[in-house]
């Protein structure tokens, strides 16, 4: 603990005022979005009418692109083989995301919402939609392994396309039948899921890869990392704030008009994010992974692809359905909880042995700015 204190003070000193107060700005963005959606006539309709393709919101896509591109441009793609060769990391991620995650959400949904089938179904859908977007920035804020995050997000995206519909059928129809519980159908195509993955992850990932490849080829690595990256880095938090404002503006009226329902939905979500993050973080340490990879494993397990979950709920059950509302409440709880877990993660660095090649120093945090 005494060894990490000087480093933590150095990190804080290197952070800009904007970054030090990021949780405050995120909270303000959530409030602004909720108020705008509630009190500005026609805003929800106007935002909903702007689509990249059917079911994919143009404003949310723009926000996610601005948020994710700088982080993905910083990834050292020539180092990805060090991640793909780490079988413990890859297998742990797949098991936690596709076995543990959906099962935990299923259990929590039935425990907390046995009398509210629409909300329960919406939460199960959220649990099936593994994270491909905001986890990139939570991982970066927590000083996780960027290369590992890129690989795990891509890996889980492939599994999302292949497994989402089948797991939806299993958890909403087959398993409840075995347990003597109510059954619900889920009609979603693999193309609908692939479309969401390709747009929300594929475009910023390709842009980040091409930036590094051609930037280094034209100007060299030193120019790219000391001149180019510091210029684009600061825009990522603004993309995050813009995304939050738009997301909560789209559903501000639904959230603010049903506060008791939101509270019922929030409880299992809160339990889910904490259980998934803490359990996976402990798993990483138990497997003797570094702090950086344990952090990345934890955030990729705890986050969810709320864009896909909301789109599936709306397409299957309707925009005013309880299932859609449960999907919307997901990011309302996920954003502040995972911001808090960023700070928990940073504080937990003292539990890990120092790693000179990957340790978090003031310089490495400055690079993230």
């Amino acid at each position: 603990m005494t060894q990490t204190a000087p480093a933590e003070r150095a990190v804080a000193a290197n952070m800009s005022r904007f970054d030090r107060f990021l949780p405050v700005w995120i909270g303000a963005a959530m409030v602004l979005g909720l108020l705008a959606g509630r009190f500005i006539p026609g805003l929800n309709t106007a935002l909903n009418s702007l689509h990249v393709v059917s079911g994919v919101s143009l404003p949310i896509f723009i926000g996610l692109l601005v948020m994710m591109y700088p982080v993905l441009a910083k990834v050292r793609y020539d180092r990805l083989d060090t991640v793909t060769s780490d079988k413990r990391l890859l297998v742990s991620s797949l098991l936690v995301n596709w076995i543990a995650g959906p099962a935990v959400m299923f259990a929590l949904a039935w425990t907390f919402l046995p009398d509210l089938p629409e909300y329960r179904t919406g939460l199960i859908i959220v649990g099936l939609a593994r994270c491909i977007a905001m986890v990139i920035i939570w991982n970066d804020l927590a000083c996780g392994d960027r290369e590992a995050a890129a690989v795990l997000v891509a890996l889980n995206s492939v599994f999302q396309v292949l497994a989402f519909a089948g797991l939806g059928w299993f958890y909403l129809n087959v398993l409840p039948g075995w347990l003597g519980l109510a059954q619900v159908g889920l009609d979603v195509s693999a193309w609908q899921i692939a479309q969401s993955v390709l747009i929300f992850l594929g475009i910023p990932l390709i842009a980040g890869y091409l930036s590094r490849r051609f930037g280094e080829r034209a100007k060299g690595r030193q120019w790219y990392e000391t001149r180019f990256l510091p210029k684009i880095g600061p825009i990522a938090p603004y993309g995050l704030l813009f995304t939050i404002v738009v997301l909560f503006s789209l559903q501000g009226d639904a959230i603010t008009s049903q506060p008791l329902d939101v509270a019922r939905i929030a409880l299992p979500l809160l339990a889910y994010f904490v259980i998934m993050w803490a359990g996976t973080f402990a798993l990483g340490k138990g497997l003797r992974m570094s702090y950086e990879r344990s952090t990345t494993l934890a955030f990729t397990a705890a986050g969810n692809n709320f864009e896909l979950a909301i789109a599936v709920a709306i397409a299957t059950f309707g925009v005013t359905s309880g299932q859609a509302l449960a999907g919307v409440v997901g990011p309302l709880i996920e954003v502040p909880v995972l911001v808090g877990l960023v700070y928990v993660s940073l504080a937990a660095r003292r539990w890990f042995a120092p790693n000179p090649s990957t340790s978090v120093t003031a310089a490495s945090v400055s690079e993230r700015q």
Side-chain angles (χ1 to χ4, degrees), residues 13-203:
N14 270 271
M15 293 177 70
S16 68
R17 179 175 297 181
F18 179 86
D19 290 308
R20 285 199 298 270
F21 291 97
L22 184 59
V24 176
W25 311 137
I26 290 174
M30 293 172 64
V31 172
L32 177 61
L34 290 172
L35 293 177
R38 176 73 173 178
F39 296 110
I40 298 180
L43 178 63
N44 183 291
T45 302
L47 291 174
N48 270 319
S49 66
L50 301 173
H51 290 96
V52 180
V53 294
S54 178
V56 178
S57 167
L58 175 60
I60 291 179
F61 164 70
I62 292 172
L64 289 175
L65 178 62
V66 173
M67 177 185 76
M68 295 170 64
Y69 165 68
V71 180
L72 291 170
K74 295 175 184 177
V75 170
R76 286 285 302 273
Y77 292 94
D78 57 335
R79 292 180 180 170
L80 294 186
D81 59 330
T82 65
V83 180
T84 56
S85 63
D86 189 342
K87 298 299 187 291
R88 291 180 307 167
L89 179 68
L90 300 183
V91 172
S92 296
S93 179
L94 290 176
L95 291 176
V96 168
N97 274 283
W98 298 103
I99 302 297
V104 168
M105 186 66 91
F106 177 87
L108 289 171
W110 274 97
T111 299
F112 283 88
L113 303 171
D115 57 328
L116 297 171
E118 290 189 358
Y119 298 153
R120 184 177 65 237
T121 298
L123 286 186
I124 292 172
I125 293 172
V126 170
L128 297 175
R130 312 314 299 166
C131 193
I132 63 170
M134 281 194 178
V135 69
I136 296 291
I137 200 162
W138 303 140
N139 177 73
D140 210 52
L141 289 171
C143 300
D145 187 320
R146 286 194 189 119
E147 287 70 39
V151 170
L152 295 187
V153 166
L155 179 65
N156 284 312
S157 297
V158 172
F159 269 78
Q160 191 155 250
V161 174
L162 298 175
F164 185 94
L167 286 174
W169 170 74
F170 177 76
Y171 279 104
L172 294 175
N173 195 308
V174 176
L175 185 56
W178 290 350
L179 300 176
L181 305 172
Q183 298 172 298
V184 180
L186 182 64
D187 182 20
V188 57
S189 69
W191 168 240
Q192 182 180 356
I193 301 163
Q195 183 175 264
S196 172
V197 170
L198 290 171
I199 291 174
F200 287 128
L201 173 65
I203 292 176

